[in-house]
Amino acid sequence: MRGGLWQLGQSITRRLAQADKKAIARRCFASEADLKKTVLYDFHVANGGKMVPFAGWSMPIQYKDSIMDSTVNCRENGSLFDVSHMCGLSLKGKDSIPFLEKLVVADVAGLAPGTGTLTVFTNEKGGTIDDSVITKVTDDHIYLVVNAGCRDKDLAHIEEHMKSFTAKGGDVSWHIHDERSLLALQGPLAAPVLQHLTKDDLSKLYFGEFRILDINGATCFLTRTGYTGEDGFEISVPSENAVDLAKAILEKSKGKVRLTGLGARDSLRLEAGLCLYGNDMEQHITAVEAGLTWAIGKRRRAEGGFLGANVILKQIEEGPSIRRVGFFSSGPPARSHSEIQNEKGENIGEITSGGFSPCLKKNIAMGYVKSGNHKAGTKMKIVVRGKPYDGVVTKMPFVPTKYYKPS
């Protein structure tokens, strides 16, 4: 789904107020019967979730509160997201690390057991097939989560390379965790609320770290990570325990942690300067162009060995021709595909994500510009509905991140 989910949420809210809901569903959306549902679907509906199609799933765009209020509440208190549409999988076997390193840019071997990192799957031209958070559980077990909209192509890509790798004697197999659901608990109350539901000391689990532990009576995969810029966790829970866990989290927070939909998730990740695959990263965009050079391990830069390494390593050495940057802008919020011009009116790039920041109360956006125009403070024109408005390149994240790291 292209364009900001925040805009979609606002649009749906307005349209549902003006017209017959069933007619809109027939006219604008895929048939309800065609959509997959998470185990929390009935729970969302019962709690006022406005369900919309997303990556083949029926997902809540928002609940009873506005997307603006929901975004602010995540940063002030906390949010609980159902992200079970995303695909978790495990790679196992003594060669699982060398196998995965053929497909991603991360130094997986260099990760300590129980730690993870953001990475990207590359194609032969160095472009991005998908971004993913991968965790080295042990030397022969890797856990990773891929995007819902990329699931089919990611799994086909991994399977194709796994077949040739094992045919040559490599020891690697996989398990797709369709028996599990995924919840994301984000915000300043995430840790104190979750601590009520587990005996493990969460103060010793830092950003990017992973643990298998008992939460609310179920064996969960817990990663201290998220997609909001806030402290928080992604919890992989057996599907039969997912609704009970969601209820327990909300109950322990005494109403301060709220169920939150995809609309606020989109504005939160944009405020945090994080990419949305399909908008800010695509098959033709490299990790270097996307500003993710930091995710390419030092050893990988020296050795290569992943698909498209020749293109990516050359960009690291010589600099990319385009770069992802952040913007503040005047006028209406910039949207995906808005043209970016220099002060002479020449086209120098395109917006990939944009909207009104609920926390900063101003327009923010990110996009790609020709190198040389990427320095913070550079003035631009951003064209919205045919009219140019003032914009300025700014550093990201727009809202400071609050990841829980050792002091």
Side-chain angles (χ1 to χ4, degrees):
M1 180 178 290
R2 299 190 64 85
L5 288 162
W6 186 88
Q7 296 109 269
L8 176 63
Q10 299 300 93
S11 155
I12 288 169
T13 304
R14 287 194 298 271
R15 283 150 73 197
L16 290 183
Q18 294 163 0
D20 175 66
K21 189 173 180 178
K22 289 181 181 175
I24 286 173
R26 281 196 303 271
R27 191 165 66 242
C28 302
F29 299 140
S31 163
E32 187 86 9
D34 297 335
L35 298 173
K36 290 179 273 192
K37 296 176 181 177
T38 75
V39 296
L40 288 144
Y41 176 87
D42 291 338
F43 184 65
H44 297 313
V45 172
N47 282 277
K50 294 186 174 78
M51 311 304 288
V52 301
F54 182 77
W57 293 78
S58 181
M59 299 298 293
I61 191 89
Q62 67 183 104
Y63 293 84
K64 293 170 185 174
D65 54 351
S66 71
I67 289 171
M68 296 275 285
D69 289 345
S70 199
T71 301
V72 172
N73 185 70
C74 180
R75 302 219 186 278
E76 292 182 348
N77 295 298
S79 287
L80 181 64
F81 304 88
D82 177 12
V83 289
S84 305
H85 59 310
M86 297 178 75
C87 177
L89 62 141
S90 288
L91 298 175
K92 292 191 175 181
K94 66 180 177 61
D95 297 322
S96 54
I97 291 173
F99 166 70
L100 186 58
E101 285 195 344
K102 291 179 179 294
L103 306 182
V104 302
V105 299
D107 179 1
V108 187
L111 291 171
T115 66
T117 184
L118 177 73
T119 193
V120 299
F121 284 85
T122 52
N123 59 32
E124 287 81 358
K125 295 180 180 178
T128 305
I129 293 173
D130 196 7
D131 58 333
S132 172
V133 173
I134 60 169
T135 300
K136 180 178 174 181
V137 183
T138 64
D139 286 332
D140 57 4
H141 178 192
I142 307 296
Y143 172 69
L144 58 152
V145 178
V146 300
N147 286 306
C150 298
R151 174 184 170 126
D152 291 347
K153 70 170 181 176
D154 287 358
L155 296 184
H157 176 71
I158 295 168
E159 185 174 34
E160 177 193 349
H161 286 273
M162 190 183 295
K163 280 179 179 173
S164 60
F165 186 83
T166 54
K168 295 171 186 170
D171 176 25
V172 62
S173 61
W174 67 349
H175 174 75
I176 300 160
H177 291 290
D178 285 340
E179 78 286 358
R180 290 182 163 267
S181 296
L182 193 63
L183 301 177
L185 176 60
Q186 300 283 292
L189 294 182
V193 167
L194 195 63
Q195 189 63 76
H196 286 298
L197 302 175
T198 183
K199 292 176 182 174
D200 285 63
D201 184 358
L202 298 180
S203 71
K204 294 188 171 72
L205 188 72
Y206 296 104
F207 178 70
E209 294 184 347
F210 171 95
R211 201 174 286 172
I212 298 175
L213 72 175
D214 182 282
I215 301 176
N216 201 46
T219 302
C220 297
F221 302 163
L222 184 69
T223 312
R224 197 153 197 163
T225 188
Y227 194 47
T228 63
E230 297 295 315
D231 180 29
F233 305 88
E234 288 188 356
I235 312 162
S236 173
V237 55
S239 289
E240 62 270 23
N241 304 114
V243 173
D244 286 344
L245 178 57
K247 287 178 179 176
I249 289 169
L250 297 174
E251 183 184 319
K252 291 296 182 185
S253 81
K254 297 178 179 174
K256 290 186 176 179
V257 171
R258 295 184 203 160
L259 285 169
T260 307
L262 293 175
R265 187 169 161 85
D266 193 53
S267 54
L268 287 158
R269 70 92 194 165
L270 179 56
E271 289 180 338
L274 300 173
C275 291
L276 174 65
Y277 192 88
N279 276 45
D280 313 299
M281 298 183 80
E282 301 238 24
Q283 296 268 10
H284 62 279
I285 297 289
T286 72
V288 180
E289 293 164 343
L292 300 177
T293 304
W294 61 267
I296 306 168
K298 191 187 241 184
R299 177 176 63 83
R300 307 310 307 277
R301 297 183 202 190
E303 298 175 2
F306 50 88
L307 295 173
N310 56 328
V311 175
I312 288 176
L313 300 183
K314 186 179 180 185
Q315 285 186 346
I316 291 174
E317 187 179 344
E318 300 177 1
S321 60
I322 59 170
R323 297 174 190 257
R324 180 174 67 96
V325 294
F327 299 93
F328 290 132
S329 66
S330 62
R335 303 303 189 202
S336 181
H337 301 306
S338 293
E339 181 185 355
I340 304 167
Q341 299 176 346
N342 61 19
E343 292 197 287
K344 296 176 185 174
E346 299 165 332
N347 181 301
I348 55 166
E350 183 179 271
I351 297 295
T352 53
S353 288
F356 181 78
S357 164
C359 295
L360 299 179
K361 304 292 189 283
K362 62 168 77 171
N363 297 337
I364 59 174
M366 66 171 81
Y368 287 84
V369 296
K370 293 176 183 174
S371 287
N373 300 279
H374 61 281
K375 298 279 169 57
T378 304
K379 293 181 179 177
M380 308 277 176
K381 295 289 184 182
I382 299 175
V383 181
V384 182
R385 300 188 200 106
K387 186 177 177 182
Y389 294 91
D390 291 336
V392 62
V393 175
T394 186
K395 290 183 178 178
M396 295 186 286
F398 301 101
V399 173
T401 55
K402 297 172 189 164
Y403 301 131
Y404 181 71
K405 297 181 178 181
S407 55

